[in-house]
Amino acid sequence: MTDQASGLIKNPYATLTTKEGWRAFVDENLEPPSPLAPGASLNADELESYREIRTDYHTRSVVVATPTIRKVVTTGRTRILLNRHQVSARRGLIVSGTSGTGKTTAITQLGKNVEQLVRRRSPGTGPALPVVFVTVPPAATPKILAGEFARFLGIPLHYRMSQVQITNAVCDLLSSLGTVLVLVDEIHNLDLTTRSGAEASDQLKYLSERIAATFVLAGLNVETSTLFQGVRGQQIAGRYSVVPSKAFGRRSRADREQWQALIATMESSLRLDRHKPGTLLALDAYLHDRTSGLIGSLSQLIREAAITAIDTGSEKITKRSLESVELDHTAQQSQPKPSPGRTGRKPKAA
C-alpha cells in the first residue's frame, strides 16, 4: 500500500494476529526503491521524499532463506500433507531456540508460503482462510487462548460468553473456512506447572483435535521449558517434532559460508547512494563478534546503520558507523571480552 502524496509504503499490517493483518502480510511483495539516475538533480521536496522512501524501506527486515527457514518450510509443508487424512493425533512441529534466532520469521514464512501455494493451486475455489496466526499471551487461560483465535477471526466477543461458546464458535468457523495450518507463537508462555497454564495446554490440544489443520508452534527454548513435562508434556512430545533455531556459528567452513551468505544478502538489499559493495562482507568476523551470530541483532545493526547513513547524508555504512549503533542487551552481553594479553593488563593474583 502506497501513500500517493509521499510515495511511502505504509505498513498495512499493524499486527499479524488479525485476519486482515495476516492477509496483508501474505499479499505484500516489497520492491526496493529505485536508485537515482546518474546526474539526476532533485529539488528540496523531491530529495526529502527520496530519503523518506528509503528510510521506510530500511525499517523493514530483509527475509533471508536461512537453513532454519528452509527446514521449517520444507518440514511444515510435508506435515500438512501427512495430516491430510488424519482424523486425530495429527503431527505438528515446534520451532525452538533463543531470542533473536528467527523463530517467528521462520513460522510466518512457512505460513506465507503455504497460503500463496494454496491460492495458486485453487484460485477462487480453495480454502477461504488457509492459515491462522496467534500468539499465546502471558498467564493465558483456556478462555483467553480461545479468545486469541476469535480475535484473529474477528468473531465478536461478549463478556458473558463462556469458554465453551467461544471455542465452539472458533472451531466451527475455522472448519467452514478450510484452515490447513495454525501457527502459534510464544508457546513458552504456557507454564504447565501452573493450573492455568496446564488448562491452557489442554485447550490447545483440544483445538488441535477439533480443527483439521496442522499446528506449528514456536517459543523460547521449549526443550528445557515445562512444555514437555508430566503427562500433558508427554502427549505434546509424542506428536510434535522440534526444529532448533540457533545463532550462526563461525567455527567450520560451512558455518562461515552461511554467515557470509547472510551478510551478502543483507548488504545487497541496501539502498545507499555511496555505499561500497563488499564493505560489510569484509567485516564478517567483526559482525559476528558484535551480534554473536544472532540474525535479529545483525538485521537491527545493519538497518539502523543504513537509516543513520541516510539521515546524516553519508549514504554509506562503515565500521565506525556500525560501532555507534547500540544493540540489544543479549548481543551486547554475548560479545567476546578482550583478554588480559590484548589489553596489556595482567590478571590479578588470586
Side-chain angles (χ1 to χ4, degrees):
M1 183 182 298
T2 302
D3 186 330
Q4 298 297 328
S6 65
L8 294 180
I9 301 174
K10 288 186 175 181
N11 185 1
Y13 48 94
T15 174
L16 297 181
T17 54
T18 66
K19 64 179 185 297
E20 295 81 10
W22 176 260
R23 185 173 294 117
F25 167 71
V26 174
D27 290 339
E28 183 187 49
N29 183 22
L30 184 62
E31 293 293 337
S34 301
L36 282 179
S41 178
L42 303 179
N43 60 37
D45 289 340
E46 291 171 336
L47 181 60
E48 181 62 22
S49 177
Y50 176 62
R51 288 174 176 170
E52 286 296 325
I53 290 172
R54 291 181 299 129
T55 296
D56 184 74
Y57 166 76
H58 286 109
T59 63
R60 299 166 185 263
S61 298
V62 174
V63 177
V64 182
T66 64
T68 298
I69 289 179
R70 290 195 293 268
K71 178 70 173 178
V72 170
V73 170
T74 300
T75 308
R77 287 173 53 175
T78 303
R79 290 295 161 85
I80 293 173
L81 295 174
L82 181 68
N83 291 329
R84 179 177 289 175
H85 300 294
Q86 290 291 114
V87 295
S88 64
R90 282 175 281 270
R91 300 292 168 171
L93 192 65
I94 297 177
V95 183
S96 172
T98 57
S99 178
T101 54
K103 301 178 299 299
T104 301
T105 300
I107 66 171
T108 53
Q109 287 303 307
L110 165 64
K112 187 170 188 174
N113 180 280
V114 168
E115 181 149 341
Q116 290 178 339
L117 185 62
V118 168
R119 290 180 186 181
R120 289 197 300 269
R121 288 179 173 176
S122 307
T125 60
L129 190 67
V131 181
V132 168
F133 178 85
V134 299
T135 60
V136 179
T141 65
K143 186 174 182 178
I144 290 175
L145 186 58
E148 287 298 303
F149 280 83
R151 188 168 71 87
F152 180 92
L153 295 167
I155 298 175
L157 296 179
H158 190 273
Y159 74 95
R160 290 184 178 178
M161 290 181 70
S162 68
Q163 171 195 331
V164 173
Q165 289 174 318
I166 298 173
T167 301
N168 285 338
V170 166
C171 293
D172 291 345
L173 184 55
L174 289 180
S175 296
S176 65
L177 294 175
T179 301
V180 297
L181 177 65
V182 175
L183 307 173
V184 183
D185 204 4
E186 308 290 334
I187 195 66
H188 54 268
N189 283 331
L190 291 181
D191 184 355
L192 269 63
T193 63
T194 66
R195 178 177 177 179
S196 61
E199 291 176 348
S201 174
D202 290 341
Q203 170 76 320
L204 186 62
K205 179 177 179 295
Y206 179 74
L207 290 169
S208 70
E209 292 289 351
R210 284 280 305 271
I211 304 167
T214 297
F215 276 60
V216 174
L217 321 178
L220 292 171
N221 301 322
V222 175
E223 305 96 321
T224 57
S225 72
T226 63
L227 197 65
F228 290 150
Q229 295 179 7
V231 176
R232 291 182 174 90
Q234 291 175 8
Q235 291 180 322
I236 296 172
R239 296 188 182 184
Y240 289 84
S241 56
V242 177
V243 173
S245 182
K246 302 177 180 178
F248 282 76
R250 287 195 79 255
R251 291 187 177 182
S252 69
R253 179 177 178 180
D255 287 342
R256 291 190 293 274
E257 288 176 348
Q258 289 179 354
W259 178 247
Q260 290 166 352
L262 174 63
I263 294 172
T265 300
M266 289 188 174
E267 185 166 28
S268 67
S269 72
L270 293 174
R271 290 301 179 266
L272 300 173
D273 291 339
R274 291 192 287 273
H275 182 79
K276 183 179 179 181
T279 299
L280 297 184
L281 189 57
L283 295 172
D284 66 305
Y286 162 78
L287 291 171
H288 194 274
D289 285 345
R290 280 294 310 274
T291 65
S292 300
L294 297 171
I295 187 173
S297 300
L298 179 68
S299 175
Q300 178 212 331
L301 177 60
I302 293 176
R303 290 185 297 118
E304 190 166 332
I307 291 170
T308 301
I310 295 171
D311 186 55
T312 61
S314 71
E315 292 289 344
K316 61 183 178 180
I317 298 177
T318 63
K319 185 176 181 180
R320 176 175 293 184
S321 67
L322 291 169
E323 289 282 5
S324 67
V325 176
E326 290 291 332
L327 285 177
D328 55 272
H329 183 68
T330 298
Q332 296 279 35
Q333 290 297 107
S334 301
Q335 288 182 35
K337 304 298 187 294
S339 64
R342 293 169 65 182
T343 60
R345 297 179 181 178
K346 295 182 179 180
K348 294 181 179 180

